[in-house]
Amino acid sequence: MLAIETIITFVVASSLVTLAPGPDNLFVLTQSMLHGRKVGLIVTLGICTGLIFHTTAVAFGLAVLFQSSAIAFTILKIVGAIYLVYLAWKALTAKVSNQEDVAGVKSTVNLRQLYLRGMLMNISNPKVSIFFLAFLPQFVDVNAGSVTYQSLILGSLFTVATFIIFSSIALLAAKLSNWFTGSPTVQLALNRIVGVMFLGFAFKLATSSR
């Protein structure tokens, strides 16, 4: 059984890691600004589903494959980089919406598609698995029971912390939704900035090493 001090330390560390700028929280932020809190929360759920995948991979040793096999790591990071480029292209070519769209009167936002985007963006990033593989064991006590069980608990806590923080980001960003959707110029500028940042994340991932 994990000590309460370990759990508290882990949750604090997880929260700080989650707040660090990255493609996941950026995606939640921009989608919430452009389409409102519901979309932001759906994207958050997708990302957290991806974290469940990574938690399971680490707990049962699957992530070791990415750490030990250069080929497996390279393949997945290229897939992840390509997906980030795809998201960049979507942002750079996105059409502006209006307040009526965001209000849901005639919205064309596909919630299922956005959920899958969030999930795939997280799953296709091997750096997340490697991070979990390096991060979780620091809080595992081999004398406190099953390492697999402890890893699942820690991964679940990380996912919950991520959901709370990303949901907060979505709710706060959604308050700016009317301002963003009321100005096509601001929307275009935001989409261009996000597109460039996703290209940067894609390049960083593609050129990263284990």
Side-chain angles (χ1 to χ4, degrees), residues 125-191:
N125 187 348
K127 299 296 284 186
V128 179
S129 280
I130 299 300
F131 165 76
F132 266 47
L133 196 60
F135 186 61
L136 298 189
Q138 298 180 48
F139 299 89
V140 170
D141 183 356
V142 294
N143 298 315
S146 169
V147 172
T148 298
Y149 175 75
Q150 291 182 64
S151 297
L152 289 172
I153 294 298
L154 291 171
S156 298
L157 289 172
F158 188 94
T159 302
V160 170
T162 300
F163 178 78
I164 292 173
I165 292 174
F166 280 19
S167 293
S168 299
I169 292 174
L171 294 175
L172 290 173
K175 294 183 180 297
L176 300 174
S177 180
N178 287 337
W179 178 61
F180 275 90
T181 57
S183 174
T185 301
V186 172
Q187 284 188 62
L188 286 173
L190 178 64
N191 285 329

Coordinates of all heavy atoms in Angstrom, one line a residue, residues 125-191:
N125 N 2.2 9.5 -28.9 CA 3.4 10.2 -28.5 C 4.2 9.2 -27.5 O 3.9 9.1 -26.4 CB 3.1 11.5 -27.7 CG 4.3 12.3 -27.4 OD1 5.5 11.8 -27.5 ND2 4.1 13.5 -26.9
P126 N 5.3 8.6 -28.1 CA 6.0 7.6 -27.2 C 6.7 8.3 -26.1 O 7.1 7.6 -25.1 CB 7.0 7.0 -28.2 CG 7.2 8.1 -29.3 CD 5.9 8.8 -29.4
K127 N 6.9 9.6 -26.1 CA 7.6 10.3 -25.0 C 6.7 10.2 -23.8 O 7.3 10.3 -22.7 CB 7.9 11.7 -25.4 CG 8.8 11.9 -26.6 CD 10.2 11.4 -26.4 CE 11.0 12.3 -25.5 NZ 12.4 11.9 -25.3
V128 N 5.4 10.1 -23.9 CA 4.6 10.0 -22.8 C 4.8 8.6 -22.1 O 4.9 8.6 -20.8 CB 3.1 10.1 -23.2 CG1 2.2 10.0 -21.9 CG2 2.8 11.5 -23.8
S129 N 4.9 7.6 -22.8 CA 5.2 6.3 -22.3 C 6.5 6.2 -21.6 O 6.7 5.7 -20.5 CB 5.1 5.2 -23.3 OG 3.8 4.8 -23.6
I130 N 7.5 6.8 -22.2 CA 8.9 6.9 -21.7 C 8.9 7.7 -20.4 O 9.5 7.4 -19.4 CB 9.9 7.5 -22.7 CG1 9.9 6.6 -23.9 CG2 11.2 7.6 -22.0 CD1 10.4 5.1 -23.7
F131 N 8.1 8.8 -20.4 CA 8.0 9.6 -19.2 C 7.4 8.9 -18.1 O 7.9 8.9 -16.9 CB 7.1 10.9 -19.5 CG 6.7 11.6 -18.3 CD1 7.5 12.4 -17.6 CD2 5.4 11.5 -17.8 CE1 7.1 13.1 -16.4 CE2 4.9 12.1 -16.7 CZ 5.8 12.9 -16.0
F132 N 6.3 8.1 -18.4 CA 5.6 7.3 -17.3 C 6.6 6.3 -16.8 O 6.7 6.0 -15.6 CB 4.4 6.6 -17.9 CG 3.1 7.4 -17.7 CD1 3.1 8.8 -17.9 CD2 2.0 6.8 -17.2 CE1 1.9 9.5 -17.7 CE2 0.8 7.5 -17.0 CZ 0.8 8.9 -17.3
L133 N 7.4 5.7 -17.7 CA 8.3 4.6 -17.3 C 9.4 5.2 -16.4 O 9.9 4.4 -15.5 CB 8.9 4.0 -18.6 CG 9.6 2.7 -18.4 CD1 8.6 1.6 -17.9 CD2 10.2 2.2 -19.8
A134 N 9.8 6.4 -16.6 CA 10.8 7.0 -15.8 C 10.2 7.7 -14.5 O 10.9 7.7 -13.5 CB 11.6 8.1 -16.6
F135 N 9.0 8.2 -14.6 CA 8.4 8.9 -13.6 C 7.7 8.1 -12.5 O 8.0 8.2 -11.3 CB 7.4 9.9 -14.2 CG 6.8 10.9 -13.2 CD1 7.6 11.8 -12.5 CD2 5.4 10.9 -12.9 CE1 7.0 12.7 -11.6 CE2 4.8 11.8 -12.1 CZ 5.6 12.7 -11.4
L136 N 6.9 7.1 -12.9 CA 6.2 6.3 -11.9 C 7.0 5.5 -11.0 O 6.8 5.5 -9.8 CB 5.2 5.4 -12.6 CG 4.1 6.1 -13.5 CD1 3.1 5.0 -13.9 CD2 3.4 7.2 -12.7
P137 N 8.1 4.8 -11.5 CA 8.9 4.0 -10.6 C 9.5 4.8 -9.4 O 9.9 4.2 -8.4 CB 10.0 3.4 -11.5 CG 9.3 3.4 -12.9 CD 8.5 4.7 -12.9
Q138 N 9.7 6.1 -9.6 CA 10.3 6.9 -8.5 C 9.4 6.9 -7.3 O 9.9 7.2 -6.1 CB 10.5 8.3 -9.0 CG 11.5 8.4 -10.1 CD 11.7 9.9 -10.6 OE1 11.9 10.8 -9.7 NE2 11.6 10.1 -11.8
F139 N 8.1 6.6 -7.4 CA 7.2 6.6 -6.3 C 6.7 5.2 -5.9 O 5.8 5.1 -5.1 CB 6.0 7.5 -6.7 CG 6.4 8.9 -7.0 CD1 6.7 9.3 -8.3 CD2 6.4 9.9 -6.0 CE1 7.1 10.6 -8.6 CE2 6.8 11.2 -6.3 CZ 7.1 11.6 -7.6
V140 N 7.3 4.2 -6.6 CA 6.9 2.8 -6.3 C 7.8 2.3 -5.1 O 9.0 2.5 -5.2 CB 7.0 1.9 -7.5 CG1 6.9 0.5 -7.1 CG2 6.0 2.3 -8.5
D141 N 7.1 1.6 -4.2 CA 7.9 1.0 -3.1 C 7.8 -0.5 -3.2 O 6.7 -1.1 -3.1 CB 7.2 1.5 -1.7 CG 8.0 0.9 -0.5 OD1 9.0 0.1 -0.7 OD2 7.6 1.2 0.6
V142 N 8.9 -1.1 -3.5 CA 8.9 -2.6 -3.8 C 8.5 -3.4 -2.6 O 8.1 -4.5 -2.7 CB 10.3 -3.0 -4.3 CG1 10.6 -2.4 -5.7 CG2 11.4 -2.7 -3.3
N143 N 8.6 -2.7 -1.4 CA 8.2 -3.4 -0.2 C 6.8 -3.2 0.2 O 6.3 -3.7 1.3 CB 9.1 -2.9 1.0 CG 10.6 -3.3 0.7 OD1 10.9 -4.4 0.3 ND2 11.5 -2.3 1.0
A144 N 6.0 -2.4 -0.6 CA 4.7 -2.1 -0.3 C 3.6 -2.9 -1.1 O 2.5 -2.5 -1.2 CB 4.4 -0.6 -0.5
G145 N 4.1 -4.0 -1.8 CA 3.1 -4.8 -2.5 C 3.5 -4.8 -4.0 O 4.6 -4.5 -4.4
S146 N 2.5 -5.3 -4.8 CA 2.7 -5.4 -6.2 C 3.1 -4.1 -6.9 O 2.4 -3.1 -6.8 CB 1.4 -6.0 -6.8 OG 1.4 -5.9 -8.2
V147 N 4.2 -4.2 -7.7 CA 4.6 -3.1 -8.4 C 3.6 -2.7 -9.5 O 3.4 -1.5 -9.8 CB 6.0 -3.4 -9.1 CG1 6.4 -2.2 -10.0 CG2 7.1 -3.5 -8.0
T148 N 3.0 -3.7 -10.1 CA 2.0 -3.5 -11.2 C 0.8 -2.7 -10.6 O 0.3 -1.8 -11.2 CB 1.5 -4.8 -11.8 OG1 2.6 -5.5 -12.4 CG2 0.4 -4.6 -12.8
Y149 N 0.4 -3.2 -9.4 CA -0.8 -2.5 -8.8 C -0.4 -1.1 -8.4 O -1.3 -0.2 -8.7 CB -1.1 -3.3 -7.5 CG -2.2 -2.7 -6.7 CD1 -3.6 -2.7 -7.1 CD2 -1.9 -2.0 -5.5 CE1 -4.6 -2.1 -6.3 CE2 -2.9 -1.4 -4.7 CZ -4.2 -1.5 -5.2 OH -5.2 -0.9 -4.4
Q150 N 0.7 -0.9 -7.9 CA 1.1 0.5 -7.5 C 1.2 1.4 -8.7 O 0.8 2.6 -8.7 CB 2.5 0.5 -6.8 CG 2.4 -0.2 -5.4 CD 3.8 -0.1 -4.7 OE1 4.3 1.0 -4.4 NE2 4.4 -1.3 -4.5
S151 N 1.7 0.8 -9.8 CA 1.9 1.6 -11.1 C 0.5 2.0 -11.6 O 0.3 3.1 -12.1 CB 2.6 0.8 -12.1 OG 3.9 0.5 -11.7
L152 N -0.5 1.1 -11.5 CA -1.8 1.4 -11.9 C -2.4 2.5 -11.1 O -3.1 3.4 -11.6 CB -2.7 0.1 -11.9 CG -2.4 -1.0 -13.0 CD1 -3.2 -2.2 -12.7 CD2 -2.7 -0.4 -14.4
I153 N -2.2 2.4 -9.8 CA -2.7 3.4 -8.9 C -2.1 4.8 -9.2 O -2.8 5.8 -9.3 CB -2.5 3.1 -7.4 CG1 -3.2 1.8 -7.0 CG2 -2.8 4.2 -6.5 CD1 -4.8 2.0 -7.1
L154 N -0.8 4.8 -9.3 CA -0.1 6.1 -9.6 C -0.6 6.7 -11.0 O -0.8 7.9 -11.1 CB 1.4 5.9 -9.6 CG 2.0 5.6 -8.2 CD1 3.5 5.2 -8.4 CD2 1.9 6.8 -7.3
G155 N -0.7 5.8 -12.0 CA -1.1 6.2 -13.3 C -2.5 6.8 -13.2 O -2.9 7.8 -13.9
S156 N -3.4 6.2 -12.4 CA -4.7 6.6 -12.3 C -4.8 8.0 -11.6 O -5.6 8.9 -12.0 CB -5.6 5.6 -11.4 OG -5.6 4.4 -12.1
L157 N -3.9 8.2 -10.6 CA -3.8 9.5 -9.9 C -3.4 10.6 -10.9 O -3.9 11.7 -10.8 CB -2.9 9.4 -8.7 CG -3.4 8.6 -7.5 CD1 -2.3 8.4 -6.5 CD2 -4.6 9.3 -6.9
F158 N -2.4 10.2 -11.7 CA -1.9 11.2 -12.7 C -3.0 11.5 -13.7 O -3.2 12.7 -14.0 CB -0.7 10.6 -13.5 CG 0.0 11.5 -14.4 CD1 1.1 12.2 -13.9 CD2 -0.5 11.8 -15.7 CE1 1.7 13.1 -14.8 CE2 0.1 12.7 -16.5 CZ 1.3 13.4 -16.1
T159 N -3.8 10.6 -14.1 CA -4.9 10.8 -15.0 C -6.0 11.7 -14.4 O -6.5 12.6 -15.0 CB -5.5 9.5 -15.4 OG1 -4.5 8.6 -16.1 CG2 -6.7 9.7 -16.4
V160 N -6.3 11.4 -13.1 CA -7.3 12.3 -12.4 C -6.8 13.7 -12.3 O -7.5 14.7 -12.5 CB -7.6 11.7 -11.0 CG1 -8.4 12.7 -10.2 CG2 -8.3 10.4 -11.1
A161 N -5.5 13.9 -11.9 CA -4.9 15.2 -11.8 C -5.0 15.9 -13.1 O -5.3 17.1 -13.2 CB -3.5 15.1 -11.3
T162 N -4.7 15.2 -14.2 CA -4.7 15.8 -15.5 C -6.1 16.2 -15.9 O -6.3 17.3 -16.4 CB -4.2 14.8 -16.6 OG1 -2.8 14.4 -16.3 CG2 -4.3 15.4 -18.0
F163 N -7.1 15.3 -15.6 CA -8.5 15.7 -15.9 C -8.9 16.9 -15.2 O -9.6 17.8 -15.8 CB -9.4 14.5 -15.5 CG -10.9 14.8 -15.8 CD1 -11.4 14.7 -17.1 CD2 -11.7 15.2 -14.7 CE1 -12.7 15.0 -17.3 CE2 -13.0 15.4 -15.0 CZ -13.5 15.3 -16.2
I164 N -8.6 17.0 -13.9 CA -9.0 18.2 -13.1 C -8.4 19.5 -13.7 O -9.0 20.5 -13.9 CB -8.6 18.0 -11.6 CG1 -9.5 16.9 -11.0 CG2 -8.8 19.3 -10.8 CD1 -9.1 16.5 -9.6
I165 N -7.1 19.4 -13.9 CA -6.4 20.6 -14.4 C -6.8 21.0 -15.8 O -7.1 22.2 -16.1 CB -4.8 20.4 -14.3 CG1 -4.4 20.3 -12.9 CG2 -4.1 21.5 -15.1 CD1 -2.9 20.0 -12.7
F166 N -6.9 20.0 -16.7 CA -7.3 20.3 -18.1 C -8.7 20.8 -18.1 O -9.1 21.6 -19.0 CB -7.1 19.1 -19.0 CG -5.7 18.9 -19.4 CD1 -4.6 19.5 -18.8 CD2 -5.4 18.1 -20.5 CE1 -3.3 19.3 -19.2 CE2 -4.1 17.9 -21.0 CZ -3.0 18.5 -20.3
S167 N -9.6 20.2 -17.3 CA -11.0 20.7 -17.2 C -11.1 22.1 -16.8 O -11.9 22.9 -17.3 CB -11.8 19.8 -16.3 OG -11.9 18.5 -16.8
S168 N -10.2 22.5 -15.8 CA -10.1 23.9 -15.3 C -9.7 24.8 -16.4 O -10.2 25.9 -16.6 CB -9.2 24.0 -14.1 OG -9.6 23.2 -13.1
I169 N -8.7 24.3 -17.2 CA -8.2 25.1 -18.4 C -9.4 25.3 -19.4 O -9.6 26.4 -19.9 CB -7.0 24.4 -19.0 CG1 -5.8 24.5 -18.1 CG2 -6.7 25.1 -20.4 CD1 -4.6 23.7 -18.6
A170 N -10.1 24.2 -19.6 CA -11.2 24.3 -20.6 C -12.3 25.3 -20.1 O -12.8 26.1 -20.9 CB -11.8 22.9 -20.7
L171 N -12.6 25.2 -18.8 CA -13.7 26.1 -18.3 C -13.2 27.6 -18.3 O -14.0 28.4 -18.6 CB -14.0 25.7 -16.9 CG -14.7 24.3 -16.7 CD1 -14.9 23.9 -15.3 CD2 -16.0 24.2 -17.5
L172 N -12.0 27.8 -18.0 CA -11.5 29.2 -18.0 C -11.4 29.7 -19.4 O -11.7 30.9 -19.7 CB -10.1 29.3 -17.3 CG -10.2 29.0 -15.7 CD1 -8.7 28.9 -15.2 CD2 -10.9 30.1 -15.0
A173 N -10.9 28.9 -20.3 CA -10.7 29.3 -21.7 C -12.0 29.6 -22.3 O -12.2 30.4 -23.2 CB -9.9 28.3 -22.4
A174 N -13.0 28.8 -21.9 CA -14.4 28.9 -22.5 C -15.0 30.3 -22.2 O -15.8 30.8 -23.0 CB -15.3 27.8 -22.0
K175 N -14.6 30.9 -21.2 CA -15.1 32.2 -20.8 C -14.6 33.3 -21.8 O -15.3 34.3 -22.0 CB -14.6 32.6 -19.4 CG -15.2 31.8 -18.3 CD -14.8 32.3 -17.0 CE -15.4 31.4 -15.8 NZ -16.9 31.5 -15.8
L176 N -13.6 33.0 -22.6 CA -13.1 33.9 -23.6 C -13.7 33.5 -25.0 O -13.4 34.2 -26.0 CB -11.6 33.8 -23.7 CG -10.8 34.2 -22.5 CD1 -9.3 33.9 -22.7 CD2 -11.0 35.6 -22.1
S177 N -14.5 32.5 -25.0 CA -15.1 32.0 -26.3 C -15.8 33.1 -27.1 O -15.6 33.2 -28.3 CB -16.0 30.8 -26.0 OG -16.5 30.3 -27.2
N178 N -16.7 33.8 -26.4 CA -17.5 34.8 -27.1 C -16.6 35.9 -27.7 O -16.8 36.3 -28.9 CB -18.4 35.5 -26.1 CG -19.6 34.6 -25.7 OD1 -19.9 33.6 -26.5 ND2 -20.2 34.9 -24.6
W179 N -15.5 36.2 -27.0 CA -14.6 37.2 -27.6 C -13.9 36.7 -28.8 O -13.8 37.4 -29.8 CB -13.6 37.6 -26.5 CG -12.6 38.6 -27.0 CD1 -12.8 39.9 -27.5 CD2 -11.2 38.5 -27.1 NE1 -11.6 40.5 -27.9 CE2 -10.6 39.7 -27.6 CE3 -10.3 37.4 -26.8 CZ2 -9.2 39.8 -27.9 CZ3 -8.9 37.6 -27.0 CH2 -8.4 38.8 -27.6
F180 N -13.4 35.4 -28.8 CA -12.7 34.9 -29.9 C -13.6 34.6 -31.1 O -13.3 34.9 -32.2 CB -12.1 33.5 -29.5 CG -10.8 33.7 -28.8 CD1 -10.6 33.8 -27.5 CD2 -9.6 33.7 -29.6 CE1 -9.4 34.0 -26.9 CE2 -8.4 33.9 -29.0 CZ -8.3 34.0 -27.7
T181 N -14.8 34.1 -30.8 CA -15.7 33.8 -31.9 C -16.4 35.1 -32.5 O -16.9 35.1 -33.6 CB -16.9 32.9 -31.5 OG1 -17.6 33.4 -30.4 CG2 -16.3 31.5 -31.1
G182 N -16.3 36.2 -31.7 CA -16.9 37.4 -32.2 C -15.9 38.2 -33.1 O -16.3 39.2 -33.7
S183 N -14.7 37.7 -33.2 CA -13.7 38.4 -34.0 C -13.0 37.4 -34.9 O -12.1 36.6 -34.5 CB -12.6 39.0 -33.1 OG -11.6 39.6 -33.9
P184 N -13.3 37.4 -36.2 CA -12.7 36.5 -37.2 C -11.2 36.7 -37.3 O -10.4 35.8 -37.4 CB -13.4 36.9 -38.5 CG -14.7 37.4 -38.1 CD -14.5 38.1 -36.8
T185 N -10.7 37.9 -37.1 CA -9.3 38.2 -37.1 C -8.6 37.5 -36.0 O -7.5 37.0 -36.2 CB -9.1 39.8 -37.0 OG1 -9.7 40.4 -38.1 CG2 -7.6 40.1 -37.1
V186 N -9.2 37.6 -34.8 CA -8.6 36.9 -33.6 C -8.5 35.4 -33.8 O -7.6 34.8 -33.5 CB -9.3 37.3 -32.3 CG1 -8.8 36.5 -31.2 CG2 -9.2 38.8 -32.0
Q187 N -9.6 34.9 -34.4 CA -9.7 33.4 -34.6 C -8.6 33.0 -35.6 O -7.9 32.0 -35.4 CB -11.0 33.1 -35.2 CG -12.2 33.0 -34.2 CD -13.4 32.5 -34.8 OE1 -13.5 31.3 -35.2 NE2 -14.5 33.3 -34.9
L188 N -8.5 33.7 -36.7 CA -7.4 33.4 -37.7 C -6.0 33.5 -37.1 O -5.2 32.6 -37.3 CB -7.5 34.3 -38.9 CG -8.7 34.1 -39.8 CD1 -8.8 35.2 -40.9 CD2 -8.6 32.8 -40.5
A189 N -5.8 34.5 -36.3 CA -4.5 34.7 -35.6 C -4.2 33.5 -34.7 O -3.1 32.9 -34.7 CB -4.4 36.0 -34.9
L190 N -5.2 33.1 -33.9 CA -5.1 32.0 -33.0 C -4.8 30.7 -33.7 O -3.9 30.0 -33.3 CB -6.3 31.9 -32.1 CG -6.3 30.7 -31.1 CD1 -5.2 31.0 -30.0 CD2 -7.6 30.6 -30.4
N191 N -5.5 30.5 -34.8 CA -5.3 29.2 -35.5 C -3.9 29.2 -36.1 O -3.3 28.1 -36.2 CB -6.4 29.1 -36.6 CG -7.7 28.7 -36.1 OD1 -7.8 28.0 -35.1 ND2 -8.8 29.1 -36.7

